[in-house]
Amino acid sequence: MSRYRNLALFLTLAAVWGTAFVAISAGLEYFPPVLFAALRYDVAGVLMLAYAAYAVDDWIPRGGAEWAVVGVGAVFLIAAYHAFLFVGQQNTTAAAAAILVSLSPVLTTGFARALVPSDALSAVGVAGVVVGLAGVAVIAQPDPSNLLAADVVAKLFVFCAAASFAFGSVLTRRIDASLPIETMEAWSMLGGALAMHAASLGLGEPIEPATWARPEALVALGYLALVASAFGFLLYFDLLERLGAVEINMVSYVAPIFAAVMGWLLLDEVVDATTVFGFLLIAVGFVLVKRRALREEFGHVRRQYSGE
């Protein structure tokens, strides 16, 4: 039964995180992008901190290393990632954004190898990174005569979001701190929200509470804060313990399917063949980069269910 439970939770997480991109696109009709992201994590951060206080003993970071992990998470995993993503989604579809974000595991490996020169990528691994980046280029479809077209720049912003998340993931692993992931996520969310509020003020984004109070706006914000963030991360923590990091990364490649379907149903967004081809290239890049880990993981799963 645990096998089917894990599959059900995995698909639920993919659906929740995939449809989050649709909620972002819907909410951007009512909120300025960076402030929208900040408000999302005002709510989600408080909820996650309450959960951390309930679930773990060390729910307050202690010492320089633990606060350094929180700082990196706040700046790169929350603030930079979501600011770039929300700005980019103003001029691209939810599905395209979800697909571009799925490049993060490939970029994470690339950054890890770049920061540790002694652990260089093999030729196949380099090929995987190149194939993944080629998928980004295919999705962006840049016009050499107009490289600053709104849709191209938007996809570049989403790519920067994926790169920020990947870079932050590598940095947090390099800091020697034994901080529970629940604590790290909670404080990073709050710190990231604060950073995005500061950025929003610096950008001069308009503050229009009357517009935010519209039912559609509240539904989009509530879904992102309560379902995609709070509930989604609870599912993530549970599956991370049960499946491990390799399998949980596969959520990135199922979520775009939900984003595409719901974007089509709710927002009339159409996914063209070029975007699908770009997604396949990114998925191939992931397989090439993670081939050894995937081989080991699938071998473990096969032995587990065959009773060996």
Side-chain angles (χ1 to χ4, degrees):
M1 290 298 293
S2 62
R3 177 183 181 182
Y4 297 107
R5 177 185 182 277
N6 290 344
L7 177 60
L9 291 180
F10 178 92
L11 292 175
T12 300
L13 180 61
V16 165
W17 280 359
T19 51
F21 291 92
V22 180
I24 292 170
S25 293
L28 286 170
E29 296 290 328
Y30 308 95
F31 297 93
V34 180
L35 182 57
F36 186 20
L39 292 171
R40 169 186 181 177
Y41 280 100
D42 286 336
V43 179
V46 170
L47 293 174
M48 189 58 63
L49 185 61
Y51 174 73
Y54 165 78
V56 299
D57 294 329
D58 300 326
W59 63 278
I60 299 178
R62 295 178 175 84
E66 293 188 355
W67 281 110
V69 170
V70 169
V72 169
V75 171
F76 292 101
L77 302 183
I78 301 298
Y81 169 67
H82 289 91
F84 281 129
L85 175 63
F86 279 53
V87 170
Q89 269 200 242
Q90 293 179 109
N91 290 295
T92 191
T93 65
I99 290 168
L100 290 170
V101 166
S102 73
L103 184 68
S104 287
V106 177
L107 293 177
T108 298
T109 301
F111 281 128
R113 298 303 188 266
L115 293 174
V116 186
S118 60
D119 193 16
L121 277 171
S122 66
V124 176
V126 172
V129 174
V130 171
V131 170
L133 292 175
V136 174
V138 168
I139 294 170
Q141 303 180 58
D143 180 357
S145 64
N146 188 15
L147 292 177
L148 296 181
D151 60 332
V152 175
V153 173
K155 289 164 184 172
L156 178 60
F157 273 120
V158 179
F159 171 77
C160 288
S164 297
F165 192 89
F167 185 67
S169 298
V170 173
L171 287 184
T172 57
R173 294 173 192 171
R174 288 177 58 82
I175 299 173
D176 185 16
S178 57
L179 193 64
I181 189 171
E182 295 88 346
T183 303
M184 182 266 189
E185 290 285 354
W187 288 96
S188 293
M189 286 179 180
L190 292 172
L194 183 62
M196 287 188 287
H197 277 295
S200 177
L201 287 173
L203 292 169
E205 290 186 331
I207 299 177
E208 301 174 345
T211 303
W212 307 346
R214 296 182 63 173
E216 300 91 340
L218 294 175
V219 168
L221 179 60
Y223 185 86
L224 289 171
L226 302 177
V227 181
S229 296
F231 177 66
F233 274 104
L234 292 180
L235 283 180
Y236 173 82
F237 296 146
D238 183 68
L239 286 171
L240 185 62
E241 291 183 3
R242 295 173 179 274
L243 302 179
V246 175
E247 285 192 57
I248 203 67
N249 269 337
M250 299 303 291
V251 168
S252 299
Y253 298 91
V254 181
I257 298 171
F258 288 96
V261 172
M262 296 306 295
W264 172 61
L265 290 174
L266 299 178
L267 305 176
D268 294 324
E269 294 181 344
V270 178
V271 180
D272 58 24
T274 303
T275 300
V276 173
F277 180 58
F279 172 61
L280 293 176
L281 287 177
I282 292 173
V284 169
F286 173 79
V287 171
L288 292 175
V289 167
K290 296 288 188 180
R291 65 195 183 284
R292 293 191 182 94
L294 289 170
R295 189 184 306 121
E296 292 175 2
E297 187 65 33
F298 289 145
H300 171 73
V301 171
R302 187 174 61 252
R303 289 191 299 270
Q304 180 181 359
Y305 290 117
S306 64
E308 295 180 17

